[in-house]
Amino acid sequence: MAYYRQLGAVPPKRHTQHRAPNGSLYFEELMGEEGFSSDSSLLYHRHIPAAIVDASVWDLPDQSTTPNHPLIPRHLLLHNLFPNDVVAGTDVVTGRRLILGNPDVRISYVVAEKVSPLYRNSIGDEMVYIESGSAVVETVFSAVTG
């Protein structure tokens, strides 16, 4: 049996018109792992979710890796690895440095001072670990504070 969780105002039936108190229509978006055949979330937005505010090229820094052969344990002291990494204006997206990686996973490190501009990763999943300080990661589901 399906398990449903509701946050906010939703229509009584899925995939039907859902109007805001002022009479305008909410925009429906279905997010799922494998389209309509797997677990999914049905989201309602005040504005078109696919609207693009801006698109600009972001040149990635060097993403090449060196094989760890033979496989040996490493203790990465990241504070010592990038001692002068705090640069005025560094943000959490463009200031990332690749630490470890393979074709499936990349682990990056950044020391950031400012809020990142609007950013959307549409090609992969991301996990954010905050070592010190605080941050707000805004997703389509809600804002996550850490």
Side-chain angles (χ1 to χ4, degrees), residues 1-2 6 17 24 26 28 32 44 48 50 52 79 99 116 123 128 131 133 138 141 145:
M1 179 169 189
Q6 173 184 325
Q17 284 190 8
S24 64
Y26 285 114
E28 183 179 279
Y44 293 94
I48 297 175
I52 296 175
H79 298 281
I99 303 299
S116 177
I123 58 171
V128 178
E131 181 181 16
E138 295 178 3
F141 296 104
T145 305

Side-chain angles (χ1 to χ4, degrees), residues 3-146:
Y3 172 75
Y4 296 104
R5 181 163 186 232
Q6 173 184 325
L7 292 173
V10 296
K13 292 186 178 183
R14 296 182 304 265
H15 312 302
T16 60
Q17 284 190 8
H18 182 40
R19 295 196 176 271
N22 67 2
S24 64
L25 280 173
Y26 285 114
F27 295 92
E28 183 179 279
E29 177 184 20
L30 182 69
M31 289 185 67
E33 289 183 35
E34 297 181 29
F36 294 101
S37 63
S38 184
D39 293 340
S40 60
S41 295
L42 192 55
L43 308 171
Y44 293 94
H45 302 277
R46 292 185 201 121
H47 307 286
I48 297 175
I52 296 175
V53 176
D54 183 24
S56 58
V57 176
W58 173 40
D59 295 322
L60 286 170
D62 183 21
Q63 298 289 304
S64 60
T65 58
T66 304
N68 186 14
H69 296 288
L71 186 61
I72 56 175
R74 298 189 186 272
H75 182 187
L76 301 173
L77 300 170
L78 297 178
H79 298 281
N80 298 337
L81 193 58
F82 302 114
N84 301 320
D85 212 30
V86 178
V87 178
T90 301
D91 70 72
V92 296
V93 176
T94 60
R96 295 175 184 183
R97 302 274 187 110
L98 181 65
I99 303 299
L100 302 168
N102 64 29
D104 299 316
V105 176
R106 286 186 301 189
I107 299 174
S108 300
Y109 177 79
V110 65
V111 177
E113 281 192 331
K114 73 173 198 172
V115 175
S116 177
L118 293 175
Y119 167 73
R120 183 172 188 163
N121 181 352
S122 59
I123 58 171
D125 297 326
E126 290 197 20
M127 184 175 82
V128 178
Y129 170 76
I130 302 168
E131 181 181 16
S132 66
S134 64
V136 175
V137 177
E138 295 178 3
T139 72
V140 294
F141 296 104
S142 68
V144 180
T145 305

